[in-house]
């Protein structure tokens, strides 16, 4: 890690070895809290929280105070110039010229990346909409590691809102990076988004196993989940296990159950009304009485609402208040690392190189389809170009670099074939044999025929004959 230039936008920004080094530092800091004062003397942190927060903001601010630094804060979007229509990039440039480090929480997905791109100082993502919350993940992993000694090979069940829970999205990749087995226990309709599953299998070598293979004794232990898992209409309600022998894995117990609240503030109208239906089981002593949960850590990023019973607070398996308390030393270590006041030794564990996907080079009008993505917001459109990487060719899939949602364009053309020759500006079905021949640097994509037409492209014979369906 080169601490001066580094930001933490997604959990991918930290390698396995860096996370281990950060945890060692956090342990030192928590063992000798009083001695850390002075490490960041003279440094200023901007704490910008444009969504509600208790733990994250206050633990960040506490962390900076404990390091002897100072904090400036803005916590109401209405009290900043963002309310006057200022762009995030302008705000980032200005605040970056005042302070040494920025912590930002914002409802738009990818907002922290924009701040990191423009601020010129290290930036920490404290939650960007439903995208990621990497510092919560650090607290989660730190807690698991402290309690279980390791993360590798553990069975961690993720419970509740796996669709909009940003803590879940960061945690999934971190657990995969550390070699844990993940069990998805989504509330109905709130399953892990497809683009996350795809990234998990493509980049982290995850294998998926269906719950339909459960044997009877495991089914009994998880009987409350039958309705959730065994519905064929939801094919991606799967468990990700490094070992496909799921029966064996579950019988030997669940190491941690990570509970989340429904993120109602991000629900669509349809999801809100479904919430009124059958309630998802509350995590309580009765639910956890099976022997599979005898040594299960009960975790929650908090705040809790109704999904986790108060009777669990006195249960020795419950670790959620410890998890929140670890927020201070973990964030102290992170701030110290990013400000370069603590060196991070290079780690021999860093063996997984990031996948190098080709960038999508052409601005053909393709936009990110996620309405919460920072790249489609009115104030940001003026300077942000849609930006994608090409993560798959069959089916052709682009990934937005801001919110990481996937786009599967319907039509493609090649910049090479039509260069200078209007007559050969032809578009094809994205899954045709022509499409597969186009080199990444020449690829032009369209989400509709109108979009292609607007750019002066004409349909291929194939598209004319089979407008909606591809003909191979
Ligand atoms: C989480 C968040 O903001 O995403 N809270 C937190 O930071 N501990 C979880 C939540 O709000 O449910």
């Amino acid at each position: 890690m080169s601490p001066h230039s580094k930001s933490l936008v997604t959990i991918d920004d930290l390698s396995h070895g860096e996370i281990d080094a950060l945890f060692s530092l956090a342990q030192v800091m928590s063992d000798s809290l009083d001695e850390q004062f002075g490490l960041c003397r003279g440094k200023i942190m901007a704490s910008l929280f444009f969504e509600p927060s208790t733990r994250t903001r206050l633990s960040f601010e506490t962390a900076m105070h404990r390091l002897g630094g100072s904090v400036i804060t803005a916590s109401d979007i209405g009290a900043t110039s963002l309310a006057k229509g200022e762009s995030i990039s302008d705000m980032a440039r200005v605040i970056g010229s005042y302070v040494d480090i920025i912590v930002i929480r914002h409802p738009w997905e990818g907002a922290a990346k924009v701040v990191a791109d423009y601020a010129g100082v290290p930036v920490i993502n404290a939650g960007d909409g439903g995208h990621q919350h990497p510092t919560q993940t650090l607290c989660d992993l730190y807690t698991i590691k402290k309690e279980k000694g390791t993360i590798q090979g553990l069975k961690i069940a993720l419970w509740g809102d796996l669709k909009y829970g940003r803590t879940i999205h960061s945690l999934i990749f971190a657990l995969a990076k550390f070699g844990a087995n993940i069990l998805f226990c989504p509330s109905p309709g709130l399953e892990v988004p497809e683009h996350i599953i795809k990234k998990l299998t493509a980049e982290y070598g995850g294998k998926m196993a269906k719950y339909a293979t459960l044997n009877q004794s495991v089914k009994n232990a998880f009987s409350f989940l039958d309705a959730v898992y065994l519905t064929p209409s939801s094919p991606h309600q799967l468990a990700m296990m490094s070992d496909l022998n799921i029966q064996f894995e579950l019988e030997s117990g669940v190491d941690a159950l990570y509970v989340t609240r429904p993120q109602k503030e991000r629900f669509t109208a349809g999801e809100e009304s479904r919430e009124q239906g059958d309630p998802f089981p509350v995590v309580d002593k009765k639910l956890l009485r099976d022997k599979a949960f005898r040594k299960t850590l009960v975790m929650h990023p908090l705040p809790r609402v109704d999904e986790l019973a108060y009777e669990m607070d006195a249960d020795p398996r419950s670790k959620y208040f410890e998890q929140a308390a670890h927020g201070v030393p973990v964030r102290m270590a992170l701030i110290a690392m990013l400000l370069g006041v603590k060196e991070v030794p290079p780690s021999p564990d860093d063996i997984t190189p990031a996948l190098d996907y080709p960038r999508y080079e052409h601005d053909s009008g393709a936009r990110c389809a996620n309405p919460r993505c920072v790249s489609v917001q009115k104030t940001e459109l003026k300077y942000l170009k849609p930006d994608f990487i090409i993560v798959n060719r069959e089916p052709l899939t682009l990934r937005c670099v801001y919110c990481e949602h996937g786009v599967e364009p319907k039509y493609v053309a090649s910049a090479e074939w039509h260069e200078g020759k209007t007559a050969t500006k032809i578009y094809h079905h994205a899954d045709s044999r022509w499409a597969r021949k186009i080199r990444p640097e020449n690829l032009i994509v369209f989400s509709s025929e109108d979009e292609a037409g607007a750019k002066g492209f004409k349909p291929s014979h194939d598209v004319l004959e089979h407008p909606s369906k591809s003909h191979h």
Side-chain angles (χ1 to χ4, degrees):
M1 174 191 255
S2 68
H4 295 286
S5 59
K6 188 117 183 185
S7 289
L8 178 59
V9 174
T10 74
I11 197 70
D12 295 341
D13 292 331
L14 289 174
S15 67
H16 188 149
E18 285 168 338
I19 294 175
D20 280 341
L22 186 120
F23 288 170
S24 307
L25 187 55
Q27 188 60 56
V28 171
M29 296 209 159
S30 94
D31 291 344
S32 57
L33 210 53
D34 294 341
E35 289 161 35
Q36 308 309 322
F37 194 81
L39 257 188
C40 288
R41 187 170 307 150
K43 304 279 188 196
I44 303 179
M45 178 182 92
S47 151
L48 313 174
F49 278 77
F50 302 132
E51 272 191 325
S53 173
T54 303
R55 272 151 295 275
T56 308
R57 176 172 154 219
L58 296 181
S59 65
F60 261 117
E61 297 187 0
T62 304
M64 193 53 167
H65 286 301
R66 293 245 184 239
L67 292 165
S70 331
V71 179
I72 60 166
T73 184
S75 60
D76 173 9
I77 224 165
T80 72
S81 286
L82 292 178
K84 301 178 190 167
E86 182 169 54
S87 68
I88 292 182
S89 61
D90 281 0
M91 177 198 71
R93 278 191 172 146
V94 171
I95 298 175
S97 73
Y98 299 159
V99 302
D100 302 286
I101 187 164
I102 296 176
V103 179
I104 175 137
R105 171 171 288 189
H106 196 285
W108 292 341
E109 301 176 5
K113 173 171 163 52
V114 176
V115 177
D117 288 346
Y118 287 88
V121 295
V123 170
I124 302 173
N125 181 6
D128 56 338
H131 178 217
Q132 286 222 359
H133 190 351
T135 65
Q136 178 63 48
T137 294
L138 293 175
C139 302
D140 303 339
L141 294 182
Y142 185 74
T143 307
I144 298 171
K145 211 165 169 201
K146 258 180 113 63
E147 298 294 331
K148 298 279 183 190
T150 180
I151 296 162
Q152 185 170 16
L154 296 186
K155 279 144 279 160
I156 316 279
L158 306 180
W159 177 275
D161 186 348
L162 310 191
K163 180 173 181 184
Y164 294 117
R166 56 189 170 201
T167 65
I168 291 285
H169 302 161
S170 300
L171 183 58
I172 284 175
F173 297 122
L175 289 174
K177 201 184 300 232
F178 278 81
N181 300 308
I182 309 169
L183 298 157
F184 297 135
C185 312
S187 310
L190 299 174
E191 297 84 21
V192 181
E194 202 63 45
H195 67 273
I196 292 181
I197 300 283
K198 281 189 179 154
K199 183 170 166 180
L200 198 52
T201 46
E203 284 162 50
Y204 290 86
K207 290 189 201 132
M208 310 297 275
K210 287 194 197 213
Y211 258 76
T213 61
L214 284 182
N215 70 13
Q216 199 52 47
S217 78
V218 178
K219 257 191 205 165
N220 290 342
F222 275 74
S223 58
F224 54 92
L225 283 180
D226 279 359
V228 184
Y229 278 105
L230 301 175
T231 46
S233 59
S234 305
H236 73 268
Q237 285 168 358
L238 304 165
M240 189 191 129
M241 313 286 284
S242 58
D243 178 347
L244 285 177
N245 190 350
I246 193 167
Q247 289 97 325
F248 170 77
E249 293 281 350
L250 285 186
E251 275 165 7
S252 62
V254 174
D255 294 296
L257 178 65
Y258 189 93
V259 187
T260 57
R261 73 177 170 94
Q263 310 280 301
K264 288 190 182 159
E265 65 275 34
R266 302 191 189 105
F267 279 10
T268 60
E271 285 162 346
E272 255 167 44
S273 57
R274 192 158 355 137
E275 260 276 302
Q276 316 302 325
D278 280 349
F280 197 54
V282 172
V283 173
D284 56 13
K285 280 189 189 292
K286 186 165 164 248
L287 186 96
L288 299 179
R289 73 189 158 188
D290 190 274
K291 71 174 189 330
F293 301 112
R294 208 159 42 90
K295 293 186 181 159
T296 304
L297 306 176
V298 180
M299 301 178 69
H300 195 306
L302 302 176
R304 101 177 105 181
V305 190
D306 298 319
E307 64 287 342
L308 175 61
Y310 276 81
E311 68 178 18
M312 288 308 298
D313 294 3
D315 190 298
R317 292 171 292 183
S318 293
K319 296 293 167 205
Y320 30 92
F321 291 115
E322 281 91 332
Q323 222 176 318
H326 292 148
V328 174
V330 166
R331 290 181 170 110
M332 284 171 78
L334 180 66
I335 294 169
M337 271 169 84
L338 294 179
L339 285 175
V341 299
K342 280 281 179 193
E343 288 303 320
V344 183
S347 163
D349 286 345
D350 289 343
I351 39 167
T352 37
L355 285 185
D356 208 4
Y357 290 118
R359 211 169 187 117
Y360 175 62
E361 310 267 3
H362 295 267
D363 185 5
S364 51
R367 298 244 170 280
C368 180
N370 171 14
R372 298 169 215 257
C373 178
V374 68
S375 74
V376 300
Q377 307 303 324
K378 214 169 115 215
T379 45
E380 316 306 309
L381 271 175
K382 289 176 262 184
Y383 66 97
L384 275 190
K385 294 255 171 298
D387 201 347
F388 301 99
I389 49 177
I390 305 166
V391 293
N392 199 9
R393 292 304 293 251
E394 285 179 56
L396 178 63
T397 314
L398 309 190
R399 181 189 298 158
C400 172
V401 302
Y402 295 101
C403 70
E404 301 193 83
H405 279 233
V407 186
E408 287 186 25
K410 287 211 167 71
Y411 304 99
V412 298
S414 167
E416 191 184 42
W417 298 336
H418 73 75
E419 211 82 74
K421 289 175 265 166
T422 344
T424 55
K425 282 179 81 169
I426 303 286
Y427 63 91
H428 304 267
H429 283 295
D431 57 356
S432 64
R433 65 195 171 90
W434 293 108
R436 290 193 279 273
K437 287 189 186 161
I438 304 171
R439 286 212 303 272
E441 64 272 25
N442 294 323
L443 187 71
I444 302 177
V445 304
F446 305 106
S447 49
S448 66
E449 293 207 51
D450 286 349
E451 211 173 273
K455 291 275 173 185
F457 285 79
K458 301 208 163 34
S460 68
H461 287 303
D462 196 27
V463 173
L464 277 175
E465 278 168 35
H466 310 272
S468 60
K469 243 174 57 202
S470 163
H471 173 76
H472 295 273

